[in-house]
Amino acid sequence: RLCRSTRMAVQQIELERFDVLKIQSIDTVSQSFYARCFVQLRLRGAKDRREAFVTFEDGTTESAEWFAGRIEVLNSFEHDSCKLIDEKPMVRDAGDDLLIQLRFEGRFAQPMDLHDFPFDSQELSIEFLIKCRVDGPVPTKVNVSPRVSCSLVDSGFAPRFQWRRKGEVRCHAGTHEANGRTFPKFGAKVMVARESRFYVTNIAVPTAVFSGLAFTLFAAQPSEPMERLSDAFTLLLAMAAYKITVTDMIPQAVEPTRRGRGWREGGDVGNLCGVTRSQCHTLDLGVLRDLA
């Protein structure tokens, strides 16, 4: 029925407010993050057409609430992974205009570059699509209002021990191409930086300590190989226990390949930093050389 509707003038829409109410988690393995946001759009000069926002050829009409229902998340992680918190979008009068207010929550897809781990920064983006073509029967155009308000609620930023904010929230509007058709889109972006001290303190420093302790095995007398072997197994068990603790405490990450393109999912941050690989190699060489 939409294709048979009477063509109307381009509806000007302004993005007036975009609040990121909560960022619950950032997952570098699945390349996604969980967030909640509030959006406010202004439909210029649409108050008189609230109940008959679109008129079809057969004389039937659809309201502004119908139009608000055509706004959906563009970068949802999975189908239905993002949902409208309220039962339906809120539409209210504002002078000669109409205001559309929406609250969404869910998991958003976000490609991430981890080549600088653990000193990397990531740009988190929440984008929405209006399912009305810019050149279709209900043409719409979205612009960012000069008085736009964008914010990230500090108390809603949950992963503050592993990430920190970097700059302010930035709103944007544009178009999205799909199957030869062009749709208006809008959204907001926020930059976050990884708290490298968290990983350096819990990974790099203990790894360096264990690596140094491995060389203390050579202080034992060569004539007492069993004592050296006992110390080696004690240190090996300590490193294994440490690796298990680190695996449970630190979230997983994706390891970038040296070629700079592909990604190898495999594991925890302990594997990225080589907690046991080089240390066990040092222990094996030291013990086997003296026992031979």
Side-chain angles (χ1 to χ4, degrees):
R1 188 180 64 171
L2 180 61
C3 296
R4 300 195 304 270
S5 64
T6 303
R7 185 178 178 86
M8 56 180 286
V10 177
Q11 175 63 58
Q12 298 293 332
I13 302 177
E14 288 188 356
L15 176 59
E16 282 195 338
R17 183 177 174 184
F18 201 118
D19 295 336
V20 182
L21 304 176
K22 179 177 70 173
I23 295 181
Q24 184 65 32
S25 62
I26 301 174
D27 191 345
T28 54
V29 172
S30 63
Q31 308 279 291
S32 65
F33 64 98
Y34 193 93
R36 176 187 297 174
C37 65
F38 171 83
V39 178
Q40 178 172 295
L41 301 171
R42 179 180 292 269
L43 279 62
R44 288 293 182 184
K47 178 180 179 181
D48 296 336
R49 295 185 289 111
R50 176 168 182 167
E51 300 302 327
F53 190 78
V54 181
T55 303
F56 298 93
E57 287 184 351
D58 57 3
T60 59
T61 60
E62 290 289 357
S63 64
E65 283 77 4
W66 170 87
F67 177 80
R70 302 189 67 82
I71 301 175
E72 64 178 22
V73 178
L74 179 59
N75 63 325
S76 59
F77 181 67
E78 293 178 342
H79 181 64
D80 293 336
S81 64
C82 299
K83 62 181 180 179
L84 190 66
I85 298 177
D86 304 309
E87 183 178 353
K88 61 180 181 179
M90 179 180 295
V91 181
R92 61 185 182 88
D93 299 339
D96 295 333
D97 307 328
L98 290 177
L99 294 181
I100 297 179
Q101 296 177 334
L102 312 99
R103 293 192 302 164
F104 276 89
E105 181 178 28
R107 184 167 296 278
F108 300 85
Q110 181 62 59
M112 300 181 184
D113 185 0
L114 302 177
H115 285 84
D116 295 330
F117 176 88
F119 306 100
D120 57 313
S121 298
Q122 305 296 338
E123 186 177 62
L124 306 181
S125 177
I126 301 176
E127 293 188 329
F128 292 91
L129 180 76
I130 302 178
K131 295 186 294 183
C132 292
R133 302 195 314 270
V134 296
D135 57 348
V138 191
T140 57
K141 183 179 181 181
V142 182
N143 297 306
V144 178
S145 172
R147 300 179 299 276
V148 65
S149 172
C150 301
S151 65
L152 170 60
V153 179
D154 291 334
S155 59
F157 191 73
R160 57 173 49 96
F161 295 107
Q162 291 140 11
W163 300 88
R164 69 177 185 277
R165 290 180 53 182
K166 187 178 180 181
E168 301 297 328
V169 179
R170 306 186 309 277
C171 294
H172 62 275
T175 58
H176 174 72
E177 301 288 338
N179 298 325
R181 298 180 296 175
T182 305
F183 300 89
K185 71 173 183 178
F186 62 92
K189 298 180 180 180
V190 60
M191 185 72 71
V192 295
R194 195 184 300 270
E195 287 285 3
S196 57
R197 291 186 302 173
F198 180 83
Y199 295 91
V200 171
T201 304
N202 292 279
I203 294 293
V205 173
T207 300
V209 172
F210 281 129
S211 298
L213 290 176
F215 291 99
T216 61
L217 299 176
F218 296 99
Q221 296 295 329
S223 59
E224 300 178 354
M226 296 306 298
E227 180 180 355
R228 179 174 293 185
L229 185 60
S230 175
D231 294 341
F233 277 112
T234 301
L235 185 56
L236 183 61
L237 291 175
M239 289 187 296
Y242 167 74
K243 185 175 184 296
I244 294 174
T245 303
V246 167
T247 302
D248 294 337
M249 180 177 57
I250 298 180
Q252 289 188 335
V254 179
E255 181 178 0
T257 62
R258 293 185 177 181
R259 295 182 180 180
R261 289 241 178 225
W263 301 94
R264 177 158 61 91
E265 292 188 13
D268 54 58
V269 181
N271 287 332
L272 279 174
C273 298
V275 172
T276 61
R277 191 178 306 159
S278 62
Q279 296 163 353
C280 291
H281 183 64
T282 301
L283 288 173
D284 294 341
L285 287 180
V287 174
L288 294 177
R289 185 183 298 113
D290 292 320
L291 292 178

